[in-house]
Amino acid sequence: MIVWFTSLIISTAGCRNNPVLLPQNHHVSAHFETKQNETNLQRKLRSYLRANHLNGSVAIVKENQIIFHEGVGFTDFQQRIANKPATAHPIASITKLIVAASIMRLEDKQKLSIQDEVAAYIPDFPNEKKIKIIHLLNHTSGIDTPRWQPGNPKPAEIVKKIASKPIRFPAGAEWDYNDINYLILGLIVEKVSGLPLHEYIRKNIFTKASMRHSGFITEEQAAAHYSTGYLKLGNKLVAAKPLKTDVLFGCGDIYSTVVDLCLFDKALMNGNLVSKRSLKKMLTPSAKSKYGLGLYVTTDKVFSRGVVGGWESLHVYFKNKTAMAILLNVRDKEIDIHQVSNDLYKLISEAPSKF
């Protein structure tokens, strides 16, 4: 399906009269439910989104207060269904951070150690048992990605092929961002917990963080649960192909909303998901990169980014406890999602302290 791309379509704002109902125990207050109650800052943020032709959903939360929460453009261009603040989108590689938190919860429960050899959990794992769980978490394992076969190979079948591939470098020697690391971690979560990965995450992450609008991309779960993804090609939009679910296992198979991601950040940083000791490990980059365990760490923020099909996602947690989530369902090479987050943060920083 090809849709003409115009500035009018992209600038059409989603409905703002149906805010997400947040759990009372989080004490998050929406600052505007109707256009009449919005602040000058909210108008500036909305104008920025429209002027830069973003299409998706955005939330900004500072110290439990929602200061911006909006959809812009369309979740389905053909049906002219508007993106809303509560529209769900695939979060792609942000899934990795949720899997990393799952591993650290298991370590907190003394079910495993991230210093354990992967071979203790995955039989016939390569490299003479030198690859440890931490090497998967921080992408320094050195394993190579096997060639995908037609169809949707099961994760266990994919891992079996790793044994036949040579190691690219000794574990810990280099940094190589590789989805297969987290597919393997997903299998380890299942083996150690005795639960399917999705069930473990639902019980131990989604429920504890009050992420009530998040779920999993599976063959059985219809794509109607989340937005349609598009690729911008010149002045046209092309609908993305359906996602191949099994190859996204553990590394990109979650859909969520912008507020749910902010709730996840709050729960993680406040110690509701993992211990302070585990959080410190997650926020400590390896010597080979700025990547910790499931997320990037810089001097003023931590963040995780995802790209899959027609979707692009970013969530950022700044040192001043501002959480920001940007979920786009139009991939546009002219849009720098990192620059977008920096610009939005600058607008917030320049605003009066009383929103």
Side-chain angles (χ1 to χ4, degrees), residues 96-153:
K96 294 182 176 72
L97 177 55
I98 293 174
V99 171
S102 299
I103 288 287
M104 300 314 294
R105 279 186 64 84
L106 290 170
E107 181 172 73
D108 286 338
K109 300 290 185 182
Q110 299 184 335
K111 300 291 186 180
L112 58 74
S113 166
I114 62 173
Q115 298 299 328
D116 289 343
E117 298 165 350
V118 176
Y121 303 95
I122 307 294
D124 302 322
F125 204 74
N127 205 27
E128 299 177 356
K129 302 183 180 181
K130 293 179 181 178
I131 300 175
K132 299 177 180 180
I133 291 176
I134 191 171
H135 296 134
L136 301 175
L137 287 165
N138 62 21
H139 293 293
T140 60
S141 68
I143 60 177
D144 204 355
T145 303
R147 185 181 297 275
W148 304 130
Q149 299 299 319
N152 266 353

Side-chain angles (χ1 to χ4, degrees), residues 49-65:
L49 297 179
R50 291 176 173 176
N52 287 276
H53 309 302
L54 298 180
N55 195 92
S57 303
V58 177
I60 305 172
V61 178
K62 186 173 182 180
E63 296 181 348
N64 298 333
Q65 179 183 346

Side-chain angles (χ1 to χ4, degrees), residues 10-306:
I10 291 300
S11 65
T12 303
C15 176
R16 290 178 290 279
N17 296 320
N18 297 302
V20 171
L21 297 177
L22 294 169
Q24 292 183 356
N25 61 317
H26 283 276
H27 304 292
V28 180
S29 60
H31 244 251
F32 66 100
E33 295 184 1
T34 64
K35 208 167 183 180
Q36 291 83 353
N37 295 333
E38 70 184 5
T39 65
N40 184 52
L41 173 60
Q42 290 157 355
R43 284 190 290 271
K44 285 184 177 180
L45 293 171
R46 181 179 303 113
S47 295
Y48 174 88
L49 297 179
R50 291 176 173 176
N52 287 276
H53 309 302
L54 298 180
N55 195 92
S57 303
V58 177
I60 305 172
V61 178
K62 186 173 182 180
E63 296 181 348
N64 298 333
Q65 179 183 346
I66 294 181
I67 58 179
F68 191 76
H69 182 211
E70 189 148 348
V72 63
F74 288 97
T75 182
D76 187 315
F77 281 83
Q78 188 178 44
Q79 301 295 324
R80 287 298 190 270
I81 301 172
N83 271 316
K84 299 179 181 180
T87 298
H89 306 269
I91 64 173
S93 287
I94 296 177
T95 298
K96 294 182 176 72
L97 177 55
I98 293 174
V99 171
S102 299
I103 288 287
M104 300 314 294
R105 279 186 64 84
L106 290 170
E107 181 172 73
D108 286 338
K109 300 290 185 182
Q110 299 184 335
K111 300 291 186 180
L112 58 74
S113 166
I114 62 173
Q115 298 299 328
D116 289 343
E117 298 165 350
V118 176
Y121 303 95
I122 307 294
D124 302 322
F125 204 74
N127 205 27
E128 299 177 356
K129 302 183 180 181
K130 293 179 181 178
I131 300 175
K132 299 177 180 180
I133 291 176
I134 191 171
H135 296 134
L136 301 175
L137 287 165
N138 62 21
H139 293 293
T140 60
S141 68
I143 60 177
D144 204 355
T145 303
R147 185 181 297 275
W148 304 130
Q149 299 299 319
N152 266 353
K154 298 299 180 184
E157 297 171 0
I158 295 171
V159 171
K160 283 182 181 179
K161 295 181 180 296
I162 294 174
S164 62
K165 300 280 288 184
I167 298 300
R168 298 184 61 198
F169 53 80
E174 298 180 27
W175 185 76
D176 178 34
Y177 188 92
N178 191 338
D179 287 343
I180 198 70
N181 288 316
Y182 275 77
L183 185 146
I184 297 167
L185 287 168
L187 292 176
I188 291 175
V189 170
E190 291 192 333
K191 179 160 287 192
V192 173
S193 70
L195 296 173
L197 177 64
H198 293 172
E199 185 177 347
Y200 182 87
I201 289 174
R202 194 181 301 279
K203 288 182 176 180
N204 292 277
I205 305 294
F206 290 171
T207 297
K208 291 185 178 298
S210 297
M211 298 170 68
R212 297 174 180 171
H213 304 89
S214 301
F216 302 94
I217 302 167
T218 65
E219 287 189 78
E220 298 77 23
Q221 188 96 342
H225 290 275
Y226 50 86
S227 63
T228 301
Y230 298 88
L231 301 172
K232 183 187 175 187
L233 303 175
N235 65 343
K236 298 179 182 179
L237 290 184
V238 180
K241 295 180 180 179
L243 297 174
K244 296 180 67 175
T245 56
D246 285 319
V247 297
L248 297 176
F249 175 85
C251 58
D253 59 352
I254 290 177
Y255 65 83
S256 189
T257 65
V258 285
V259 166
D260 269 15
L261 287 182
C262 290
L263 289 173
F264 172 82
D265 285 340
K266 177 178 183 288
L268 180 67
M269 296 301 175
N270 287 356
N272 295 333
L273 296 181
V274 303
S275 67
K276 290 183 179 179
R277 181 181 178 184
S278 289
L279 180 60
K280 184 177 180 180
K281 291 179 182 179
M282 294 178 72
L283 300 180
T284 302
S286 74
K288 303 299 179 181
S289 72
K290 293 182 179 180
Y291 195 87
L293 307 184
L295 76 175
Y296 295 88
V297 182
T298 66
T299 54
D300 63 335
K301 62 188 176 184
V302 297
F303 67 90
S304 184
R305 175 178 175 247

